[in-house]
Amino acid sequence: MALLYQSTKRSEGRARFDAAVMGGTAPDKGLFTPVSLPRIHPREIAAMRDETYPEIAYRVTRALLNVDIPDSKLHQIAQASYNFAVPIQGFEGGKYVMRLDQGPTLSFKDFGMRPMAHYMNYLNSANGGEKGFTILGATSGDTGSAAATAFHDLPGVNVVILFPEDGVVPLQRKQITTLRGNVTAIAIDGTFDDCQDMVKKAFADPDLKALNLSSANSMNVGRLLPQTIYYFYAFAKIGGSKMSFAIPSGNFGNATAAIMAKKMGLPVDKLIIAVNENDEFPLFLESGVYSPVPSSATKHCPSNAMDVGHPNNLARIAYFYGGTMDEKGRMEVMPDLAAMRQDIYTISVSNRRTGEVMQEAHAKYGLLLEPHGAVAWEGLERYAKATRIQSPIVALETANPAKFPEEFDRLHMRAPQHETLTKIGELHEGFLRQPNDYGIFKEFLRGQMRRTGVL
Ligand SMILES: *Cc1c(COP(=O)(O)O)cnc(C)c1O
C-alpha cells in the first residue's frame, strides 16, 4: 500500500507521494505529512548491522516508497545519493558523534536533498514530463548549495538560486556559483528576505506556470523521508537495546525525521533537541505557550543555519503529537504536551557556551566540532549529566568544521582544512547580478522559458 500524505492543517484531502513532492506545500498552505508510517521489523533492523549506508538507505526507503518508485530505481538512487562516508566516532561513557558532514557540500542537507532530486527527476519523467521542471530557491547558505549540487546535471532540470549579494560568506557562495551547467546563480541587491519574497511571488505567478516551478526547501516531504535513514544506520552500527540522539535544530526537519524513525519502530529513548539562542521551542515545551519570532528578530549565532524564529517543521511535530498548527504558528489544537515532554529533552545553548564547547571537546576528546555540532554535543553532555543514562547517546555533526575558519580563528584554535573547499577556492565563479526588482527577475525567467522552448 502506498503511503498517503495529509496537510498538517488536517484538511480532508490525501495526496500521494508524487503530488506531495512535486507540489512542495499542500494547497491549504500546510505541510504534507505521512498519515501513518510503516513499521520496520526488528529482524530487518538487526540485518542492517552488516550493511553499508546505501544498503540501509534502500531498506528504509523501500518500506516508505515501494509503491511509488520501483525497487530497482530505489536501489539505484540509494547508491547514487550516498557515495561518501558516514563516520561514527565513539567516546567514553557511551557517547558518540555521527558525522553527517562528508557529502559533496559538507553539510547534512546532502542526505535529504540528493535522494529528493532523484525522486523528483524520476517522477517527472515517469509522468511523461518532456518539459522538465525548474527548482527555484532563495538561500543564505547551506540549503542553496545542497540543492544546486543535488540537481546539478540532472537531465530536464533547471536550477535557479537567488542569494543576497552581501549576505553569503564567500565559500558558500562559491559552492553555488562554480557549478554552472543547469544551475543559474543570481546575486540580488537586497536581503535574504527580499530574495525569499521574489521566490514566493514567482511561485504564485500564473505567467510562469509553464516553467513548472518546484521548491527544494525544508518543507518538502521528499527531503524528510530519507533523513530517517541515518537514525537506523546509527542504531545498526552501534547496537544496544535503545538509543538517544542529540540533534542540532533550526527548522526541525532533522528532529521530525527522528520522530518518524521512532514511529517506524526504531527503539529511540530520548530525543535531545538542542537549539542556539533562538529558544522559542524550549520555551514552548516548558510553558505550553508557543511564541514564534519574526525572521527580522531572530538572533544571530555562530550556528547560523539554525537562526530560526519559527521552525517550519514544528507544524509536523505538532501533527505527530495530535496537534494542529497553522502556517503562522498558531496552535489550533494543542499537541499532547505530556507525551512530547516524555519523548523530548530540549535545551538552548548560548553563543558563548557554543565556543567553549568547541574548545572543551577538542581538548578533552580530540573531537573537532563546528558550531552546529557543538550545540548538539552540549545537549548530549547536559542530558547525560542530568540523568546518568546508561544507553548510548549519539550527537549529530551537521556541517564540516572546515566550513567555519573564522570561528576557529576567533577561538584561537587551528582551523581544519578540507580538500573539497580548497578545490572550490580555485574555481572560477559565474553568476548574474540583479536589482531587488520582481519585474526584472520575472523577465529573466520568461527569457529562460523562451530559450528552453516551453514558451
Ligand atoms: C540546516 C542545518 C541545521 C538545522 O537542521 P533542521 O533540520 O532545519 O533543524 C543544522 N545544522 C546545519 C549545518 C544545517 O545546515
Side-chain angles (χ1 to χ4, degrees), residues 26 45 58 144 344 393 412 439:
I45 298 176
Y58 166 66
I344 298 169
I393 316 179
H412 307 292

Side-chain angles (χ1 to χ4, degrees), residues 1 19 38 65 116 121 135 143-144 146 174 191 194 197 204 226 228 236-237 241 269 285 319 338 357 385 423 431 455:
M1 240 181 21
L65 293 173
M116 182 179 76
N121 203 37
I135 291 292
T143 306
K174 283 190 174 175
T191 62
D194 295 331
D197 281 346
T228 56
K237 297 302 162 185
S241 57
D269 188 4
L285 213 58
Y319 177 93
V357 171
K385 215 173 257 158
K423 273 192 209 140
F431 61 92
L455 194 76

Side-chain angles (χ1 to χ4, degrees), residues 293-408:
V293 177
S295 66
S296 56
T298 55
K299 294 198 177 128
H300 185 69
C301 303
S303 52
N304 61 340
M306 312 197 309
D307 293 349
V308 179
H310 172 37
N312 48 35
N313 278 294
L314 208 50
R316 287 192 168 116
I317 295 183
Y319 177 93
F320 283 130
Y321 285 92
T324 309
M325 180 194 255
D326 75 9
E327 67 271 18
K328 297 224 165 59
R330 278 184 299 252
M331 294 288 183
E332 284 164 7
V333 178
M334 210 42 194
D336 182 345
L337 267 181
M340 286 179 80
R341 288 175 180 144
Q342 180 70 36
D343 292 351
I344 298 169
Y345 174 88
T346 178
I347 64 159
S348 158
V349 180
S350 71
N351 293 351
R352 194 173 59 99
R353 186 67 200 137
T354 302
E356 287 169 3
V357 171
M358 285 172 66
Q359 291 169 321
E360 288 171 14
H362 188 249
K364 187 167 171 200
Y365 299 105
L367 169 60
L368 213 51
L369 297 170
E370 53 66 60
H372 305 80
V375 168
W377 186 255
E378 177 70 353
L380 176 155
E381 291 274 35
R382 289 256 285 274
Y383 181 69
K385 215 173 257 158
T387 59
R388 305 187 178 282
I389 187 176
Q390 295 299 310
S391 56
I393 316 179
V394 183
L396 274 49
E397 175 51 294
T398 48
N400 196 283
K403 291 178 96 171
F404 298 84
E406 303 84 3
E407 210 49 44
F408 283 90

Side-chain angles (χ1 to χ4, degrees), residues 124 127-134 156-158 209-212 452-454:
N124 180 62
N127 291 336
E130 318 72 46
K131 55 187 163 65
F133 60 98
T134 298
V157 187
N158 248 316
K209 239 182 155 44
L211 266 179
N212 261 339
T452 55
V454 292

Side-chain angles (χ1 to χ4, degrees), residues 15-72:
R16 287 192 52 146
F17 185 64
D18 53 352
V21 171
M22 299 310 281
T25 43
D28 66 3
K29 295 202 172 76
L31 310 188
F32 283 121
T33 303
V35 177
S36 68
L37 286 158
R39 285 187 78 81
I40 299 188
H41 196 275
R43 230 183 8 251
E44 247 199 294
I45 298 176
M48 294 176 189
R49 203 179 56 192
D50 301 317
E51 294 185 335
T52 62
Y53 194 94
E55 285 164 348
I56 294 171
Y58 166 66
R59 249 186 220 283
V60 175
T61 50
R62 188 184 52 187
L64 289 165
L65 293 173
N66 74 333
V67 183
D68 303 292
I69 299 179
D71 254 22
S72 61

Side-chain angles (χ1 to χ4, degrees), residues 106-109 142-143 218 223 227 247-255 305-306 308 312-313 370 372-373 397-399 404:
L106 306 182
S107 125
F108 96 103
K109 298 225 164 37
D142 283 338
T143 306
S218 65
R223 267 174 70 179
Q227 289 192 78
I247 307 169
S249 293
N251 269 316
F252 285 54
N254 214 351
M306 312 197 309
V308 179
N312 48 35
N313 278 294
E370 53 66 60
H372 305 80
E397 175 51 294
T398 48
F404 298 84

